[in-house]
Amino acid sequence: MTVADITTQLSLERRKIFITKHTPEKPNYDPVRTMRWAAVGLTLHGPYFFLSFRKLDCLLGGATSATNAAKKTVIAQLLVFPLVALFAYMGVMEGKNDMDKIRTNVKHRVPEAFMGGCVYWPIANFINFSFVSTGARIPYLAAVGGLWNAYLSYVNAKK
């Protein structure tokens, strides 16, 4: 999540990494924001997904048949992705101490992220469960997850 946020800030948002005159049109890179994403990755995202996908493999097996891949994809899309928890957690870490501000944060960000996830993750997971060996799933998910996390960082940063 750290690399994804750095990538988002520098490439999508065109922030400058070197200290320059800060203007609303050209904000500087925000290392505190990156640290928040790192904390989320270490304390919520990483452990949660590790356990969730391990549980899916235990329940449905590691086989990569089309039927099994479809089952895992549907379950992952409907039950595994904790967007509400992610944006609520980010709201708390951003200093939104009021529950109404956290609810607003979730309300404005989750629908867009969910719709993006409905397009992105079924394809990524179907490829994962159909073609990626069990031993290669961690690197594959790290790669596609990095792209997804860059998108989440972008969504969360939008005003």
Side-chain angles (χ1 to χ4, degrees):
M1 296 189 97
T2 305
V3 172
D5 181 65
I6 292 168
T7 302
T8 298
Q9 288 193 55
L10 298 180
S11 62
L12 293 176
E13 297 173 11
R14 305 264 186 232
R15 292 175 177 248
K16 303 297 179 197
I17 197 160
F18 299 107
I19 298 174
T20 60
K21 184 179 177 188
H22 174 79
T23 65
E25 299 82 36
K26 290 191 175 196
N28 290 325
Y29 167 72
D30 183 355
V32 174
R33 173 178 143 180
T34 299
M35 293 308 294
R36 285 193 299 264
W37 281 98
V40 168
L42 291 171
T43 62
L44 172 72
H45 219 235
Y48 179 83
F49 282 112
F50 174 77
L51 295 172
S52 296
F53 281 104
R54 193 163 110 196
K55 188 71 169 173
L56 269 178
D57 278 342
C58 287
L59 290 172
L60 298 173
T64 56
S65 69
T67 302
N68 201 23
K71 286 179 190 175
K72 287 181 177 181
T73 298
V74 168
I75 291 169
Q77 187 62 33
L78 296 176
L79 302 177
V80 173
F81 297 103
L83 291 173
V84 172
L86 170 71
F87 288 114
Y89 194 18
M90 287 303 295
V92 170
M93 290 180 33
E94 290 167 350
K96 295 176 176 110
N97 298 326
D98 181 341
M99 281 305 292
D100 288 335
K101 288 180 182 177
I102 293 170
R103 277 190 208 99
T104 300
N105 192 51
V106 168
K107 182 180 171 185
H108 286 107
R109 286 161 175 78
V110 168
E112 180 179 351
F114 180 76
M115 293 307 294
C118 285
V119 173
Y120 184 77
W121 281 111
I123 295 166
N125 278 326
F126 192 80
I127 291 168
N128 179 32
F129 298 132
S130 295
F131 305 110
V132 179
S133 69
T134 303
R137 286 197 179 140
I138 299 298
Y140 171 78
L141 288 172
V144 297
L147 294 172
W148 174 249
N149 292 336
Y151 172 72
L152 292 177
S153 174
Y154 175 76
V155 168
N156 192 61
K158 286 171 47 174
K159 300 292 177 203

